[in-house]
Amino acid sequence: MKLLAIVGTNAPFSYNRFLAKFIAKRYGDKADIEVKEIDELKPFCRTDQPDEKTKQWIEDIKNADGIIVTTPEYDHSIPAALKSALEWLGSHAGPNVMKMKPAAVVGTSYGIQGSSRAQEDAREILLSPDMSANVLPGNEVLIGGAACNFDKNTGELTNEGYVKQLDAMMENFINFVKQANK
């Protein structure tokens, strides 16, 4: 099973990058999980053609059995770079690679709400008619206080309560992907 853990920001430093890498490392024995960056993708424009990096992004998503989006929260929503990256994948852009693609959304933020609004926005975008992704329901992992819950040197998630929530979500997502790809 091939999964992509998408770093949902183009920021040079991000706790969500730590989260994506933690997911790839911790659950690497259950699936082949690759961390995907969006920082070099061309901004989406409906009238433009994708460049080579964007074409590779589309192909990588197409070939994955499922995706895990890790998103921070910027002004109560997802980062513009993540929105743009997702736009390249929808039916309005041509490739329509998200149709029924299993997807999960997680995230961390500095605040106590753990990117809850951004995660909800990401789910709505993935479920929209242009995307029509198959989004894992009912498995919210809201990691608040990112600076206190990750080791800045190793990138490890250190809060055991959050690790247990993530363990449950990932077990559910792996089973969800298996079921969807039968």
Side-chain angles (χ1 to χ4, degrees):
M1 174 184 312
K2 175 71 174 181
L3 302 177
L4 300 179
I6 298 166
V7 178
T9 180
N10 60 353
F13 176 85
S14 173
Y15 285 107
N16 283 279
R17 183 171 293 106
F18 285 175
L19 180 57
K21 289 180 178 181
F22 180 80
I23 287 169
K25 180 180 172 186
R26 184 165 179 93
Y27 310 104
D29 62 334
K30 296 175 178 17
D32 175 15
I33 305 173
E34 178 184 352
V35 175
K36 290 298 292 182
E37 298 280 352
I38 62 170
D39 60 332
E40 294 184 1
L41 295 179
K42 176 181 175 177
F44 177 76
C45 179
R46 189 180 199 104
T47 58
D48 285 353
Q49 293 298 310
D51 61 10
E52 289 308 310
K53 289 187 187 233
T54 306
K55 285 179 185 176
Q56 187 61 56
W57 160 253
I58 294 166
E59 195 63 25
D60 290 345
I61 298 292
K62 179 181 176 182
N63 292 327
D65 295 309
I67 66 167
I68 305 154
V69 176
T70 67
T71 184
E73 186 168 308
Y74 295 174
D75 298 322
H76 294 204
S77 190
I78 65 173
L82 177 57
K83 177 70 165 116
S84 180
L86 292 172
E87 290 292 340
W88 284 111
L89 307 173
S91 63
H92 59 275
N96 200 24
V97 297
M98 290 306 297
K99 186 172 181 69
M100 297 310 294
K101 175 79 64 185
V105 179
V106 296
T108 186
S109 67
Y110 288 96
I112 60 172
Q113 293 182 331
S115 77
S116 61
R117 294 168 288 216
Q119 288 186 48
E120 184 60 32
D121 284 350
R123 286 182 186 91
E124 286 183 30
I125 291 164
L126 290 166
L127 289 167
S128 72
D130 285 330
M131 292 280 170
S132 297
N134 190 9
V135 181
L136 177 70
N139 282 264
E140 291 185 332
V141 180
L142 309 171
I143 303 171
C148 300
N149 289 304
F150 285 89
D151 183 310
K152 287 183 186 171
N153 296 316
T154 66
E156 295 290 309
L157 179 58
T158 57
N159 181 306
E160 283 303 313
Y162 288 140
V163 171
K164 286 180 182 178
Q165 289 178 35
L166 197 58
D167 286 347
M169 188 280 293
M170 284 301 298
E171 181 178 343
N172 290 338
F173 185 59
I174 288 168
N175 289 331
F176 184 74
V177 173
K178 287 177 185 174
Q179 184 66 32
N181 290 315
K182 277 189 177 179

